[in-house]
Amino acid sequence: MEKSSGKKNTAVLISGRGSNLRSLIKYSKEKKSLIRIVIVVSDNFSAKGLNHANKFKINNIVIKYSNRKSFENRLLKLLKRNNVDLICLAGFMKILSGSFIKKFYKPILNIHPSLLPKYKGLNTHNRAIQNKDKYSGATVHIVSEKLDSGKIILQKKVKILKSDNKKSLEKKVLKIEHKIYPKAIIKLLASD
Ligand code: GAR
C-alpha cells in the first residue's frame, strides 16, 4: 500500500444512502486531504452509497451481516489487508463490539445526528422536536464500547424552528454533518 504521501489509509463503513461517504470522498480528493479512502464497506447489498464508491472507482465490498462475530472477523481481515489506519462510520447502522475495537487498535470515528450526549441511538430528530429543544446538531466522536459515548471530536448546532418537522430538521443536520466530518478528521489527525 502506498504510504509515502503521509495520508491515512481510511475505510468508510456505510449501511445506506451514503451522503456522508460522498462528502468524505470529496474531502479525500482535496490536495491537502489527510486521508486516502482505500475501501468502502457495506453490510447491506442495496446500500445506495455504494454507487458513490463505484463512481469514484473506490474499492468496495459488501460483507453480509449474518452475525456480529463472522462480520467482524471478515472485516478485520479486510482492514489488515488494506493497511487501514482509520475507520469512519458514515451511516453504518450496526454496533461494533468492544472486542473488535480492541483488536483494530486504531481510531474509529462515527458521525451521529444529535448533540451528544443527548439522544444516543435512533430517531434523534423526532426526539429533539418532541422535547421542544431549541437546538439540534451533529457530533463526530470516537467509537468506544458504549454506544454513542466515546470522546467527542467535533460538534455543531443548528436551530430548531417551530416550523421544523423531522424531514426539514434531518436536512439541516445532514448539511452540517457533511461539513464537520472532514473537519473532525483534520482535528483528530493534526494531533498525531
Ligand atoms: C446520518 O444522518 C448519520 O449521522 C446517521 O445516519 C445518517 C446516514 O446518512 N448515523 C446514525 O444514526 C448512526 N447512529 P448518509 O448515509 O446519507 O450518510
Side-chain angles (χ1 to χ4, degrees):
M1 205 46 48
E2 184 204 340
K3 275 209 146 180
S4 53
S5 63
K7 291 184 195 280
K8 296 276 186 201
N9 285 341
T10 301
V12 183
L13 269 58
I14 62 168
S15 296
R17 175 179 53 195
S19 70
N20 277 291
L21 166 65
R22 194 183 52 214
S23 101
L24 292 180
I25 294 175
K26 199 170 152 215
Y27 165 63
S28 75
K29 300 285 176 197
E30 287 175 16
K31 210 171 168 191
K32 288 191 175 163
S33 132
L34 300 177
I35 61 166
R36 175 192 310 111
I37 301 175
V38 290
I39 186 126
V40 171
V41 183
S42 169
D43 62 319
N44 169 14
F45 285 92
S46 45
K48 288 215 172 76
L50 291 168
N51 296 332
H52 299 304
N54 286 327
K55 186 170 163 204
F56 288 91
K57 299 191 171 32
I58 298 170
N59 198 6
N60 59 86
I61 184 169
V62 178
I63 302 181
K64 193 172 166 235
Y65 197 98
S66 31
N67 64 69
R68 183 150 83 175
K69 206 168 173 195
S70 72
F71 177 87
E72 290 184 346
N73 282 341
R74 288 189 60 195
L75 179 59
L76 273 170
K77 280 187 193 143
L78 184 74
L79 298 169
K80 213 168 179 186
R81 225 181 302 133
N82 285 278
N83 284 318
V84 170
D85 304 309
L86 170 71
I87 298 176
C88 292
L89 306 184
F92 179 69
M93 303 312 275
K94 296 285 192 304
I95 296 168
L96 294 169
S97 70
S99 145
F100 174 89
I101 296 166
K102 272 194 202 107
K103 282 184 192 150
F104 179 62
Y105 202 66
K106 287 172 187 170
I108 307 176
L109 286 176
N110 180 42
I111 187 146
H112 185 77
S114 79
L115 293 172
L116 288 174
K118 259 193 159 175
Y119 310 131
K120 296 171 184 173
L122 299 175
N123 209 11
T124 56
H125 304 307
N126 271 339
R127 286 152 78 198
I129 289 171
Q130 270 160 18
N131 284 339
K132 300 194 176 3
D133 290 355
K134 288 204 166 69
Y135 293 94
S136 184
T139 306
V140 178
H141 65 94
I142 297 276
V143 172
S144 68
E145 228 168 300
K146 264 179 104 188
L147 181 69
D148 299 330
S149 300
K151 184 182 171 198
I152 292 174
I153 304 296
L154 204 62
Q155 195 164 57
K156 196 170 160 66
K157 279 185 191 170
V158 292
K159 212 165 179 173
I160 304 179
L161 304 175
K162 286 221 166 71
S163 56
D164 270 324
N165 54 32
K166 179 186 176 260
K167 216 171 154 195
S168 64
L169 183 58
E170 182 188 358
K171 201 170 161 193
K172 273 199 277 194
V173 171
L174 253 190
K175 207 168 159 188
I176 60 164
E177 289 186 36
H178 300 157
K179 288 192 183 140
I180 68 167
Y181 213 163
K183 283 189 181 155
I185 291 173
I186 294 167
K187 194 171 169 196
L188 176 82
L189 297 180
S191 59
D192 244 21

